[in-house]
Amino acid sequence: MLRAAVDIADKGGIESLTMRRLAEVLGAEAMSLYYHVANKDEVLDGMVDVVAQEINEVVAGIDAAPAGGEWTKAMRARILAAREVLLRHPWAPWVFETRTTASPVVLRYYDAVVGLMRDAGFSYDLAHHALHALGSRVLGFTQELFDPGGEPSDAEAADMPEDIADQLPHLAGMLAEVGHDDPDSTLGFCDYQSEFEFGLDVILDGLDRLREGA
Amino acid sequence: MLRAAVDIADKGGIESLTMRRLAEVLGAEAMSLYYHVANKDEVLDGMVDVVAQEINEVVAGIDAAPAGGEWTKAMRARILAAREVLLRHPWAPWVFETRTTASPVVLRYYDAVVGLMRDAGFSYDLAHHALHALGSRVLGFTQELFDPGGEPSDAEAADMPEDIADQLPHLAGMLAEVGHDDPDSTLGFCDYQSEFEFGLDVILDGLDRLREGA
DNA sequence: ACCTGAACACCGTTCAAGT
DNA sequence: ACCTGAACACCGTTCAAGT
């Protein structure tokens, strides 16, 4: 049932996941679901468990590799592996954010993350701050809002009108330059993967410096 | 109308904002709204404009202060001021995230942010990376997921069952220590404001170091 | 130009009733 | 123990009709 729910969301987006559709895919006749589950939120709870379980399985194979390496390497590999799982489930960030109770499977992931930092010499206090600083990045995603200086929106397209460009001189300048440097970004799209890694490295480096100073 | 929509969301949460309720508050009889607006998304678009406008007004007064100071001070003050506005509109983060088109008012905010970095010697390229690294933090919020090691959930409460604590040794240890240090966090709540500032400073410091190295 | 009532196509969910 | 049909209370939205 959870597997079916994940499939629906993967294929048609999270908004296409309705109780009626889920029952249909399962062959059941609609409202039978409520015998097995209290409400739709419980389905969503189960779906984050599925994704978190997937992440835990993937990182289990990763952790062995950078055994002698620095902790930032291990953390980086772990987070990027988690990100790959997340990219297969584009609805997952939204569902993660809307959950109010902590899934035990997610807690297991966080426990391993704290363990990794502890092994690297972090105090519990600093590890706690570190989790907050990383935020959702520790699970491999960030919310992209409207993508500053990247979207091919009417206000930022290459043919940005003169009068609007005058009102936003710095964005116009930035777009012109960033757009020119990278042939793939002429349409204004950013490379989300490398931007994610950039931000991640800034934070990991900063945390490592704090670890050394402590 | 937008003001009324913001009021409803402020008081009853974003889920209490329905077209019928909005019309009721406005004195109109329900479906008249569709003469002035194409659909509900257009209302939500307008609401982020209201909030962004509020932010722009607040930061306009802030920017003058740290004139001779370092850019990180000015950026920090700007972002924390934006955060105060956001805290008055708890629904705003969710609405910001769901928008697909960039509001001109938000673009104005980002333009000023890029301008601030340009004045500090940032290249357009680094400023672009910086925006991505800051993500939603530049507007004053982060998504808190389930709050690692903080929520008074059944799995993490002070009376965490022995068997669960055994499965999550690092989280249990962290919770015990962090919970003890701060008398206000005995219930497991984190101080979101100081965690926000911690993460923000990590990123700003890291960006400043990259600026110097460039 | 502006508003309205009735209706449509959808939700999640309840509940009494079936096997 | 498990499933179902009919119904309820809500959505956003359409549309023909009013002033």
Side-chain angles (χ1 to χ4, degrees):
Chain A
M1 160 165 175
L2 292 178
R3 199 66 238 172
V6 168
D7 279 350
I8 293 174
D10 283 348
K11 281 166 188 156
I14 191 67
E15 73 278 0
S16 74
L17 177 69
T18 78
M19 295 301 267
R20 285 172 173 85
R21 172 119 183 71
L22 178 56
E24 181 192 344
V25 167
L26 255 46
E29 206 73 27
M31 311 318 181
S32 316
L33 301 172
Y34 285 91
Y35 183 81
H36 306 275
V37 94
N39 47 39
K40 188 176 181 179
D41 260 325
E42 221 167 278
V43 176
L44 296 175
D45 285 345
M47 289 169 74
V48 335
D49 273 355
V50 170
V51 174
Q53 183 58 36
E54 241 178 275
I55 291 177
N56 280 341
E57 283 163 12
V58 170
V59 296
I62 289 286
D63 275 344
E70 306 109 30
W71 77 274
T72 54
K73 283 228 183 71
M75 183 74 89
R76 194 177 199 279
R78 161 180 282 268
I79 289 175
L80 292 182
R83 177 173 175 81
E84 281 180 33
V85 174
L86 262 291
L87 290 178
R88 293 202 298 266
H89 307 294
W91 46 270
W94 180 83
V95 178
F96 270 95
E97 287 175 41
T98 52
R99 294 311 86 197
T100 58
T101 64
S103 142
V105 190
V106 176
L107 288 180
R108 213 135 58 219
Y109 177 79
Y110 273 89
D111 192 70
V113 169
V114 174
L116 195 158
M117 291 192 280
R118 287 291 287 175
D119 289 345
F122 277 68
S123 70
Y124 278 128
D125 188 53
L126 185 55
H128 177 237
H129 289 318
L131 283 186
H132 278 284
L134 284 167
S136 69
R137 267 198 170 87
V138 82
L139 280 163
F141 71 95
T142 54
Q143 76 264 74
E144 280 291 342
L145 298 189
F146 67 92
D147 181 15
E151 291 278 324
S153 78
D154 33 354
E156 287 186 296
D159 56 342
M160 186 193 268
E162 271 297 321
D163 55 336
I164 294 185
D166 288 348
Q167 298 245 10
L168 305 171
H170 302 108
L171 282 187
M174 188 174 80
L175 183 66
E177 196 171 298
V178 175
H180 267 294
D181 285 2
D182 180 359
D184 284 332
S185 76
T186 44
L187 283 178
F189 287 108
C190 303
D191 182 343
Y192 294 114
Q193 178 66 27
S194 59
E195 297 299 346
F196 180 87
E197 295 183 23
F198 176 87
L200 177 59
D201 287 337
V202 167
I203 297 174
L204 291 182
D205 289 349
L207 293 173
D208 192 44
R209 208 164 279 111
L210 289 173
R211 180 191 59 85
E212 287 168 349
Chain B
M1 161 166 174
L2 293 177
R3 198 66 238 171
V6 168
D7 280 350
I8 293 174
D10 283 348
K11 281 167 189 156
I14 190 68
E15 72 279 0
S16 76
L17 176 69
T18 78
M19 296 301 267
R20 284 171 173 86
R21 173 119 181 71
L22 177 56
E24 181 192 345
V25 167
L26 255 46
E29 206 72 28
M31 311 320 181
S32 315
L33 301 172
Y34 284 92
Y35 182 80
H36 305 275
V37 93
N39 47 39
K40 187 176 180 178
D41 260 325
E42 221 167 277
V43 176
L44 295 175
D45 286 344
M47 290 171 73
V48 336
D49 273 355
V50 169
V51 174
Q53 183 57 37
E54 241 179 277
I55 291 178
N56 280 341
E57 284 163 12
V58 170
V59 297
I62 290 286
D63 276 344
E70 306 109 29
W71 77 275
T72 53
K73 285 229 181 71
M75 183 74 90
R76 194 177 200 277
R78 161 180 281 269
I79 290 176
L80 292 183
R83 178 173 174 81
E84 281 180 34
V85 174
L86 262 291
L87 290 178
R88 293 202 298 266
H89 307 293
W91 47 269
W94 181 84
V95 178
F96 269 96
E97 286 175 42
T98 51
R99 293 312 86 196
T100 58
T101 64
S103 142
V105 189
V106 176
L107 288 181
R108 213 134 59 218
Y109 177 81
Y110 273 89
D111 191 70
V113 168
V114 173
L116 195 158
M117 290 192 281
R118 287 290 286 174
D119 289 344
F122 277 67
S123 70
Y124 279 128
D125 188 54
L126 185 55
H128 178 237
H129 289 318
L131 283 186
H132 278 284
L134 284 166
S136 69
R137 267 196 170 88
V138 83
L139 280 164
F141 70 94
T142 54
Q143 76 265 74
E144 279 293 343
L145 296 190
F146 67 92
D147 180 16
E151 290 280 324
S153 77
D154 32 354
E156 287 185 296
D159 56 341
M160 189 194 266
E162 271 296 321
D163 55 335
I164 293 185
D166 288 348
Q167 298 245 8
L168 306 169
H170 301 108
L171 282 187
M174 188 175 80
L175 183 65
E177 198 172 296
V178 175
H180 267 294
D181 285 3
D182 180 359
D184 284 330
S185 76
T186 44
L187 283 178
F189 287 108
C190 303
D191 182 343
Y192 294 113
Q193 178 66 28
S194 58
E195 296 300 346
F196 180 86
E197 295 184 22
F198 176 88
L200 177 60
D201 287 337
V202 167
I203 297 175
L204 291 182
D205 289 350
L207 293 175
D208 192 44
R209 206 164 280 110
L210 289 173
R211 179 191 59 84
E212 286 168 349

